[in-house]
Amino acid sequence: MNVESKQIEETGLLIENMYHQSGMKILFLVSSLLLMPFANSQTPDEYSFSVPFGSRKEYSFSVPVGSGKGTSYAIQGSGRITGIRVWENYNGHITGIQLRYGYMWSEMAGYARGNVQEMLLYENEVIVQVAGKYTHNIQSLVFSTNMSRSLSAGQPSGHSFNMYPHTKKAELRFISGRQQNGITSIGAHWGVFTDHKNPQSLH
Ligand SMILES: *[C@@H]1O[C@H](CO)[C@@H](O)[C@H](O)[C@H]1NC(C)=O
C-alpha cells in the first residue's frame, strides 16, 4: 500500500468516525428533545427510562416508593392496559406484577411466587390510582379503576403511599421500579392513551 492510499483510507476512517459521532449526537439531541417536555424535575437519574410512543400526552410520573434494592424493571407494552396480576407471598409482601396490554401479558416484574390476584379491565376502563403500603418491600398494592373497581394484594403494614395522574384525563400507562426477592419499589407512569394508528390494540 502506498502512502497516498493509506492517507485516503485514514481520511475515510476519520470521516466515518466523525459521521458516526455526529450521528450519535443528532440521535441524542432528537431523543432529548422528544423527552424534554415530559421530563420531571423530581426524576433522579436512577429512574431514567424512555417514555414509549402513545404514552407521552399529559405524561406524569409518580416517584417510586420502597427501599429500591436490587435490579430495575419497567413493564411496558403496546396498546392500552387491559389487565393486571399481582402475586403476594404468604407472609405478606408483593412478589410479582404483570400487566396485560391489548391481548398480551407483559413480562413479569419480580417473581410468580405465592398467591396471585387478577383483574381484567372492561372496555374503556382504565387504572387511575395505585396505592398501598411499603417497608423494605412493597407490602400491599391497590390498583383502582375509573369504574370504581380495584384489585388489592398483600398485607397492609408500613408506610402508606398513594399515586395518581396529574391530570384527570390520564391513565396508568406503565410501571417501573426495583426487585429483589420481591418488589422493593414501584413508580407509576401516567398519560393519555393516544395510539390512534393502532385502534385494535385498545382492547
Ligand atoms: C374511564 O376512562 C376512559 C379513558 O379515558 C373513558 O373512555 C371512560 O369513559 C372512563 N369511564 C368512566 C366511568 O369514567
Side-chain angles (χ1 to χ4, degrees), residues 80 123-128 145-148 168-171 191-193:
R80 208 168 217 172
E123 210 169 322
N124 293 319
E125 181 176 28
V126 300
I127 295 165
V128 293
T145 77
N146 69 345
M147 290 187 181
S148 305
K168 275 204 153 156
K169 285 175 284 174
E171 62 195 66
V192 170
F193 181 68

mmCIF file of all heavy atoms in Angstrom, residues 80 123-128 145-148 168-171 191-193, ligand 1:
data_model
loop_
_atom_site.group_PDB
_atom_site.id
_atom_site.type_symbol
_atom_site.label_atom_id
_atom_site.label_comp_id
_atom_site.label_asym_id
_atom_site.label_seq_id
_atom_site.Cartn_x
_atom_site.Cartn_y
_atom_site.Cartn_z
ATOM 1 N N ARG A 80 -53.333 -0.335 25.181
ATOM 2 C CA ARG A 80 -53.818 0.087 26.481
ATOM 3 C C ARG A 80 -53.682 -1.047 27.495
ATOM 4 O O ARG A 80 -53.746 -2.205 27.123
ATOM 5 C CB ARG A 80 -55.300 0.414 26.313
ATOM 6 C CG ARG A 80 -55.790 1.427 27.278
ATOM 7 C CD ARG A 80 -57.158 1.928 26.876
ATOM 8 N NE ARG A 80 -57.236 3.346 27.181
ATOM 9 C CZ ARG A 80 -58.238 4.112 26.802
ATOM 10 N NH1 ARG A 80 -59.227 3.618 26.097
ATOM 11 N NH2 ARG A 80 -58.245 5.382 27.118
ATOM 12 N N GLU A 123 -63.867 -2.671 28.583
ATOM 13 C CA GLU A 123 -63.570 -1.689 27.562
ATOM 14 C C GLU A 123 -63.779 -0.296 28.170
ATOM 15 O O GLU A 123 -64.737 -0.089 28.929
ATOM 16 C CB GLU A 123 -64.511 -1.905 26.375
ATOM 17 C CG GLU A 123 -63.866 -1.484 25.094
ATOM 18 C CD GLU A 123 -64.674 -1.934 23.887
ATOM 19 O OE1 GLU A 123 -65.222 -3.052 23.921
ATOM 20 O OE2 GLU A 123 -64.747 -1.136 22.949
ATOM 21 N N ASN A 124 -62.872 0.614 27.859
ATOM 22 C CA ASN A 124 -62.941 1.975 28.406
ATOM 23 C C ASN A 124 -62.844 2.046 29.923
ATOM 24 O O ASN A 124 -63.309 3.012 30.523
ATOM 25 C CB ASN A 124 -64.202 2.699 27.937
ATOM 26 C CG ASN A 124 -64.160 2.962 26.455
ATOM 27 O OD1 ASN A 124 -63.107 3.322 25.930
ATOM 28 N ND2 ASN A 124 -65.267 2.766 25.786
ATOM 29 N N GLU A 125 -62.261 1.036 30.519
ATOM 30 C CA GLU A 125 -61.955 1.104 31.949
ATOM 31 C C GLU A 125 -60.438 1.245 32.074
ATOM 32 O O GLU A 125 -59.700 0.499 31.418
ATOM 33 C CB GLU A 125 -62.418 -0.176 32.662
ATOM 34 C CG GLU A 125 -62.148 -0.128 34.167
ATOM 35 C CD GLU A 125 -62.688 -1.352 34.899
ATOM 36 O OE1 GLU A 125 -62.785 -2.432 34.291
ATOM 37 O OE2 GLU A 125 -62.996 -1.203 36.100
ATOM 38 N N VAL A 126 -60.000 2.188 32.877
ATOM 39 C CA VAL A 126 -58.559 2.450 32.993
ATOM 40 C C VAL A 126 -58.168 2.569 34.464
ATOM 41 O O VAL A 126 -59.006 2.874 35.317
ATOM 42 C CB VAL A 126 -58.156 3.736 32.221
ATOM 43 C CG1 VAL A 126 -58.479 3.605 30.742
ATOM 44 C CG2 VAL A 126 -58.826 4.968 32.806
ATOM 45 N N ILE A 127 -56.884 2.336 34.751
ATOM 46 C CA ILE A 127 -56.392 2.445 36.131
ATOM 47 C C ILE A 127 -56.052 3.900 36.420
ATOM 48 O O ILE A 127 -55.300 4.533 35.667
ATOM 49 C CB ILE A 127 -55.176 1.524 36.348
ATOM 50 C CG1 ILE A 127 -55.627 0.060 36.204
ATOM 51 C CG2 ILE A 127 -54.541 1.761 37.723
ATOM 52 C CD1 ILE A 127 -54.511 -0.924 36.033
ATOM 53 N N VAL A 128 -56.628 4.437 37.475
ATOM 54 C CA VAL A 128 -56.450 5.856 37.789
ATOM 55 C C VAL A 128 -55.787 6.091 39.148
ATOM 56 O O VAL A 128 -55.559 7.244 39.531
ATOM 57 C CB VAL A 128 -57.796 6.624 37.729
ATOM 58 C CG1 VAL A 128 -58.314 6.682 36.292
ATOM 59 C CG2 VAL A 128 -58.850 5.982 38.631
ATOM 60 N N THR A 145 -59.682 1.537 39.420
ATOM 61 C CA THR A 145 -60.053 1.961 38.066
ATOM 62 C C THR A 145 -61.064 3.104 38.114
ATOM 63 O O THR A 145 -61.617 3.419 39.174
ATOM 64 C CB THR A 145 -60.688 0.800 37.273
ATOM 65 O OG1 THR A 145 -62.041 0.621 37.716
ATOM 66 C CG2 THR A 145 -59.916 -0.491 37.447
ATOM 67 N N ASN A 146 -61.329 3.668 36.952
ATOM 68 C CA ASN A 146 -62.316 4.752 36.883
ATOM 69 C C ASN A 146 -63.745 4.197 36.808
ATOM 70 O O ASN A 146 -64.670 4.927 36.555
ATOM 71 C CB ASN A 146 -62.004 5.720 35.730
ATOM 72 C CG ASN A 146 -62.210 5.112 34.358
ATOM 73 O OD1 ASN A 146 -62.316 3.894 34.220
ATOM 74 N ND2 ASN A 146 -62.258 5.970 33.345
ATOM 75 N N MET A 147 -63.910 2.875 37.034
ATOM 76 C CA MET A 147 -65.248 2.335 37.219
ATOM 77 C C MET A 147 -65.416 1.895 38.674
ATOM 78 O O MET A 147 -66.240 1.016 38.980
ATOM 79 C CB MET A 147 -65.498 1.167 36.269
ATOM 80 C CG MET A 147 -65.607 1.599 34.818
ATOM 81 S SD MET A 147 -66.116 0.229 33.758
ATOM 82 C CE MET A 147 -66.135 1.022 32.168
ATOM 83 N N SER A 148 -64.607 2.482 39.542
ATOM 84 C CA SER A 148 -64.674 2.220 40.988
ATOM 85 C C SER A 148 -64.468 0.751 41.342
ATOM 86 O O SER A 148 -65.023 0.267 42.314
ATOM 87 C CB SER A 148 -66.008 2.700 41.572
ATOM 88 O OG SER A 148 -66.182 4.046 41.264
ATOM 89 N N LYS A 168 -56.792 14.722 35.135
ATOM 90 C CA LYS A 168 -57.909 13.772 35.251
ATOM 91 C C LYS A 168 -58.052 12.878 34.040
ATOM 92 O O LYS A 168 -58.572 11.773 34.127
ATOM 93 C CB LYS A 168 -59.223 14.539 35.473
ATOM 94 C CG LYS A 168 -59.456 14.871 36.937
ATOM 95 C CD LYS A 168 -60.933 15.069 37.205
ATOM 96 C CE LYS A 168 -61.257 14.746 38.670
ATOM 97 N NZ LYS A 168 -62.451 15.392 39.154
ATOM 98 N N LYS A 169 -57.567 13.385 32.874
ATOM 99 C CA LYS A 169 -57.731 12.628 31.637
ATOM 100 C C LYS A 169 -56.768 11.443 31.539
ATOM 101 O O LYS A 169 -56.976 10.530 30.759
ATOM 102 C CB LYS A 169 -57.490 13.544 30.430
ATOM 103 C CG LYS A 169 -58.633 14.499 30.157
ATOM 104 C CD LYS A 169 -58.268 15.455 29.025
ATOM 105 C CE LYS A 169 -57.311 16.545 29.491
ATOM 106 N NZ LYS A 169 -56.812 17.416 28.429
ATOM 107 N N ALA A 170 -55.681 11.491 32.315
ATOM 108 C CA ALA A 170 -54.622 10.488 32.153
ATOM 109 C C ALA A 170 -54.950 9.181 32.870
ATOM 110 O O ALA A 170 -55.769 9.128 33.775
ATOM 111 C CB ALA A 170 -53.303 11.064 32.652
ATOM 112 N N GLU A 171 -54.285 8.129 32.420
ATOM 113 C CA GLU A 171 -54.475 6.785 32.971
ATOM 114 C C GLU A 171 -53.111 6.145 33.187
ATOM 115 O O GLU A 171 -52.104 6.644 32.667
ATOM 116 C CB GLU A 171 -55.296 5.941 31.989
ATOM 117 C CG GLU A 171 -54.593 5.751 30.654
ATOM 118 C CD GLU A 171 -55.506 5.244 29.541
ATOM 119 O OE1 GLU A 171 -56.431 5.973 29.141
ATOM 120 O OE2 GLU A 171 -55.266 4.108 29.074
ATOM 121 N N GLY A 191 -50.413 8.811 31.578
ATOM 122 C CA GLY A 191 -50.514 9.576 30.344
ATOM 123 C C GLY A 191 -51.872 9.350 29.716
ATOM 124 O O GLY A 191 -52.615 8.457 30.120
ATOM 125 N N VAL A 192 -52.157 10.171 28.702
ATOM 126 C CA VAL A 192 -53.383 9.972 27.932
ATOM 127 C C VAL A 192 -53.038 9.022 26.801
ATOM 128 O O VAL A 192 -52.049 9.228 26.096
ATOM 129 C CB VAL A 192 -53.912 11.317 27.389
ATOM 130 C CG1 VAL A 192 -55.044 11.101 26.401
ATOM 131 C CG2 VAL A 192 -54.355 12.197 28.535
ATOM 132 N N PHE A 193 -53.797 7.972 26.647
ATOM 133 C CA PHE A 193 -53.509 6.993 25.600
ATOM 134 C C PHE A 193 -53.878 7.566 24.238
ATOM 135 O O PHE A 193 -55.005 8.027 24.047
ATOM 136 C CB PHE A 193 -54.270 5.696 25.861
ATOM 137 C CG PHE A 193 -53.980 4.651 24.828
ATOM 138 C CD1 PHE A 193 -52.721 4.084 24.750
ATOM 139 C CD2 PHE A 193 -54.938 4.267 23.917
ATOM 140 C CE1 PHE A 193 -52.423 3.135 23.786
ATOM 141 C CE2 PHE A 193 -54.647 3.315 22.946
ATOM 142 C CZ PHE A 193 -53.393 2.752 22.879
HETATM 143 C C1 LIG B 1 -62.681 5.861 32.015
HETATM 144 O O1 LIG B 1 -61.626 6.386 31.239
HETATM 145 C C2 LIG B 1 -61.739 6.120 29.835
HETATM 146 C C3 LIG B 1 -60.474 6.634 29.158
HETATM 147 O O2 LIG B 1 -60.229 7.963 29.461
HETATM 148 C C4 LIG B 1 -63.006 6.786 29.313
HETATM 149 O O3 LIG B 1 -63.151 6.488 27.935
HETATM 150 C C5 LIG B 1 -64.188 6.270 30.097
HETATM 151 O O4 LIG B 1 -65.361 6.966 29.696
HETATM 152 C C6 LIG B 1 -63.984 6.461 31.588
HETATM 153 N N1 LIG B 1 -65.083 5.828 32.307
HETATM 154 C C7 LIG B 1 -65.666 6.397 33.372
HETATM 155 C C8 LIG B 1 -66.751 5.589 34.002
HETATM 156 O O5 LIG B 1 -65.310 7.478 33.800
#
